[in-house]
């Protein structure tokens, strides 16, 4: 008992002695405030990076029409899986994990089961991603113009926006539409039944060959000016369509 | 003379009163040392670890919000130190992924027969606590020996209250199983 008391006293005496000699110093209040601010800024940066990545993912999916591919059956699903921007998807998952770990530091997060904060993050990311992807934000950053539809007669001779094939610079070039060989999005410019020609974002004219094997899950009621996604292997300027679907651009 | 609360003493320490910290150490040394002895399976360096807990408490005392309770705050520092000590020793497996706090659990409430239950369990736990997995050992120590509520344990371990309840339940069930296996017919439960 005496020994225990002596031991306790020695811990206390040693610490008080070290404090008085200046060996142990109390951290100032600003240190903790600064650290909390730094953490909050870190959370905000990761959250922004996450929403940006998610919106870029949605943007690429919409731009390239990849999301339509699974409706064309197993082959469409294979094209869909091989064409997904996996790097971006992995980046989104990594950001979600980092954000979750960072947010767990706050009592509002750790007092609840992990599933709640994860679902909350997913909802914010999905909503933010879809909203930003719907704005011209990524289009302007990527210099990716919308499809140039055939102009009505009244526009002939009028000032026409400059044409170019500059869809995708920087990160957009690496992650964007150019890497998808079996998916072709564009606007129908003319028909030579049963085939038709589309103009893609690179202003290339592609002849789409429609055969008996071509799947048209949403009908074949296409018109000049319609934006479509064609799944099929490209050979030169021709694509033998495995599946065609109209998309809303 | 009215006894000062831990929080009011902590406020004095934050203001630079070194002697007030001696008072806090006097109040918590015994508790933290008991917590350490039960939690760490190698009690030889308990004194050094407890000393480190108080050094960290002093260094970081200005991060303590005096509007909250002091006890969970210092126990949280102790918890971190003990877990680090276990990781350094590598004698026990500490899992980083635990699905206990991933999904919600129905809350396990404290019952009326808890006092009897507590005394019996405390006696049995004393002999077996070192053999329990870390994730069950810690809430059992905090509940039965440090007499903390579910909410306080949740604050120390930074877990949802329902997870604390489920770990206590599972810890007790595991203890019962171990005791029954080692002493068939005379578990004391």
């Amino acid at each position: 008992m005496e020994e225990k008391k002596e031991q306790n006293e020695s811990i206390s005496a040693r610490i008080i002695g070290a404090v008085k000699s200046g060996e142990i110093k109390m951290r100032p209040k600003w240190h903790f405030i600064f650290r909390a601010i730094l953490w909050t800024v870190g959370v905000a940066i990761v959250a922004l990076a996450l929403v940006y990545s998610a919106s870029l993912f949605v943007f690429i999916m919409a731009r390239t029409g990849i999301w339509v591919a699974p409706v064309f059956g197993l082959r469409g699903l294979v094209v869909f899986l091989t064409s997904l921007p996996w790097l971006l998807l992995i980046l989104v998952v990594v950001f979600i994990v980092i954000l979750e770990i960072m947010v767990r530091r706050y009592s509002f997060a750790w007092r609840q089961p992990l599933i709640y904060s994860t679902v909350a993050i997913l909802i914010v990311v999905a909503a933010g991603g879809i909203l930003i992807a719907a704005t011209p934000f990524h289009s302007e950053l990527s210099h990716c113009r919308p499809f140039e539809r055939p102009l009505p007669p009244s526009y002939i001779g009028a000032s026409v926006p400059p044409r170019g094939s500059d869809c995708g610079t920087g990160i957009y070039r690496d992650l964007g539409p150019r890497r998808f060989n079996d998916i072709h999005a564009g606007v129908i410019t003319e028909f030579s039944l049963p085939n038709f020609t589309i103009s893609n974002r690179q202003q290339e004219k592609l002849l789409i060959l429609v055969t008996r094997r071509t799947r048209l899950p949403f009908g074949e009621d296409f018109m000049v000016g319609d934006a479509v996604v064609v799944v099929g292997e490209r050979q030169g300027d021709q694509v033998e369509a495995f599946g065609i679907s109209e998309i809303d651009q | 003379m009215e006894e000062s609360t831990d929080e009011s003493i902590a406020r004095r320490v934050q203001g630079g009163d070194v002697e007030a910290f001696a008072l806090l150490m006097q109040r918590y040394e015994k508790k933290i040392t008991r917590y350490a002895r039960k939690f760490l399976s190698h009690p030889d360096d308990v004194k050094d670890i407890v000393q480190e807990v108080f050094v960290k408490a002093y260094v970081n005392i200005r991060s303590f919000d005096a509007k909250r309770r002091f006890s969970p705050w210092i126990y949280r520092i102790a918890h971190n130190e003990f877990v680090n000590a276990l990781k350094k020793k590598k004698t026990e497996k500490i899992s980083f992924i635990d699905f206990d706090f991933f999904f919600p659990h129905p809350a396990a409430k404290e019952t009326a027969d808890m006092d009897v239950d507590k005394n019996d369990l405390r006696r049995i736990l004393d002999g077996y606590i070192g053999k329990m997995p870390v994730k069950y050992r810690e809430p059992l120590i905090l509940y039965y020996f440090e007499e903390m509520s579910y909410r306080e344990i949740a604050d120390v371990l930074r877990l949802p209250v329902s997870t604390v309840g489920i770990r206590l339940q599972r810890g007790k069930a595991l203890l019962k199983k171990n005791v029954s296996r080692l002493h068939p017919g005379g578990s004391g439960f």
Side-chain angles (χ1 to χ4, degrees):
Chain A
M1 187 74 185
E2 276 299 309
E3 197 184 309
K4 213 172 199 177
K5 196 176 174 187
E6 202 174 283
Q7 190 187 47
N8 285 346
E9 278 169 0
S10 69
I11 290 178
S12 174
R14 210 182 302 170
I15 291 175
I16 295 299
V19 170
K20 283 183 176 167
S21 69
E23 202 183 318
I24 300 172
K25 282 184 183 139
M26 205 185 281
R27 282 185 180 138
K29 184 95 180 164
W30 64 258
H31 170 92
F32 301 103
I33 295 171
F34 181 69
R35 216 164 61 169
I37 292 171
L38 215 60
W39 195 265
T40 310
V41 169
V43 168
I45 289 170
V46 173
L48 285 175
L50 175 56
V51 172
Y52 172 79
S53 311
S55 65
L56 183 58
F57 179 79
V58 176
F59 171 77
I60 289 173
M61 297 291 281
R63 278 275 152 167
T64 54
I66 302 170
W67 57 274
V68 175
V71 302
F72 303 129
L74 191 62
R75 186 173 164 189
L77 191 65
V78 171
V79 169
F80 173 76
L81 291 175
T82 52
S83 304
L84 270 180
W86 285 105
L87 182 69
L88 196 57
L89 199 58
I90 292 167
L91 200 68
V92 168
V93 174
V94 168
F95 278 137
I96 288 174
V97 173
I98 294 173
L99 189 62
E100 183 61 59
I101 291 168
M102 292 181 89
V103 163
R104 291 304 282 181
R105 190 186 153 107
Y106 298 104
S107 60
F108 68 82
W110 61 254
R111 280 190 201 286
Q112 304 298 328
L114 194 69
I115 188 88
Y116 294 164
S117 47
T118 307
V119 168
I121 288 173
L122 289 176
I123 290 172
V124 170
V125 167
I130 292 167
L131 276 175
I132 293 174
T135 68
F137 178 75
H138 288 295
S139 302
E140 281 176 12
L141 278 180
S142 65
H143 306 293
C144 221
R145 298 191 187 94
F147 289 129
E148 285 184 17
R149 294 168 192 273
L151 298 171
S154 59
Y155 274 76
I156 294 170
S159 169
V160 176
R163 285 171 170 257
S165 57
D166 55 350
C167 184
T169 57
I171 190 171
Y172 295 89
R173 184 181 56 234
D174 299 331
L175 300 168
R178 287 180 187 179
R179 57 188 282 273
F180 306 117
N181 295 321
D182 289 336
I183 295 186
H184 316 276
V187 167
I188 298 174
T189 52
E190 60 176 295
F191 280 95
S192 49
L193 289 169
N195 306 325
F196 58 85
T197 305
I198 62 167
S199 170
N200 65 16
R201 284 198 175 80
Q202 287 79 40
Q203 307 305 320
E204 295 170 306
K205 301 278 182 195
L206 297 178
L207 177 64
I208 308 300
L209 304 174
V210 182
T211 65
R212 273 186 295 173
R213 286 184 301 160
T214 303
R215 296 188 183 195
L216 302 157
F218 303 114
E220 50 189 294
D221 197 13
F222 303 124
M223 292 190 302
V224 169
D226 282 350
V228 291
V229 165
V230 180
V231 173
E233 202 179 331
R234 178 175 169 175
Q235 283 176 339
D237 285 341
Q238 291 189 355
V239 176
E240 190 180 325
F242 175 74
I244 305 168
S245 176
E246 191 177 344
I247 50 167
D248 183 23
Q249 287 282 332
Chain B
M1 192 181 140
E2 199 180 307
E3 202 180 342
S4 304
T5 61
D6 294 342
E7 293 73 30
S8 64
I9 299 170
R11 214 174 290 127
R12 275 164 51 199
V13 180
Q14 287 173 334
D17 186 348
V18 179
E19 298 305 329
F21 191 65
L23 200 59
L24 277 179
M25 279 196 284
Q26 204 182 346
R27 287 185 182 187
Y28 280 92
E29 257 181 45
K30 207 175 155 188
K31 291 178 185 176
I32 300 292
T33 306
R34 180 178 57 208
Y35 177 27
R37 281 191 200 286
K38 299 212 179 289
F39 186 44
L40 304 167
S41 44
H42 45 89
D44 37 310
D45 48 2
V46 158
K47 196 180 160 188
D48 290 340
I49 296 170
V50 170
Q51 184 173 302
E52 196 51 37
V53 170
F54 285 112
V55 169
K56 291 236 166 103
Y58 182 78
V59 169
N60 296 299
I61 193 96
R62 283 189 175 134
S63 72
F64 169 65
D65 178 1
K67 283 180 249 144
R68 296 184 178 194
R69 293 198 58 220
F70 181 75
S71 167
W73 184 80
I74 195 160
Y75 270 93
R76 175 72 192 166
I77 294 174
H79 159 84
N80 288 339
E81 278 305 305
F82 300 165
V83 170
N84 286 341
L86 285 180
K87 278 183 197 160
K88 269 186 209 161
K89 288 271 175 185
K90 290 177 184 168
T91 49
E92 294 195 61
K93 199 181 150 197
I94 298 174
S95 172
F96 291 98
I97 300 167
D98 191 344
F99 291 99
D100 279 357
F101 61 88
F102 199 88
F103 298 106
H105 301 282
K109 287 177 183 163
E110 296 175 58
T111 54
D113 61 349
M114 222 51 202
D115 286 342
V116 183
D117 195 17
K118 258 188 175 176
N119 288 330
D120 284 346
L121 271 170
R122 199 176 290 140
R123 184 172 49 80
I124 300 161
L125 264 175
D126 225 7
Y128 292 91
I129 196 80
K131 296 179 186 77
M132 303 285 286
V134 173
K135 75 172 189 175
Y136 298 129
R137 191 192 306 164
E138 209 175 4
L140 287 168
I141 293 168
L142 293 173
Y143 187 73
Y144 288 103
F145 295 99
E146 302 309 319
E147 308 214 311
M148 286 187 178
S149 65
Y150 282 20
R151 176 69 188 236
E152 286 170 324
I153 298 171
D155 284 349
V156 174
L157 304 181
R158 296 206 169 163
L159 292 172
V161 176
S162 62
T163 306
V164 171
I166 217 78
R167 284 196 181 174
L168 280 170
Q169 254 180 20
R170 288 180 187 162
K172 277 198 290 182
L174 189 66
L175 180 71
K176 195 174 176 178
K177 200 172 136 190
N178 288 345
V179 173
S180 306
R181 205 183 57 219
L182 293 169
H183 304 284
S187 69
F189 281 93

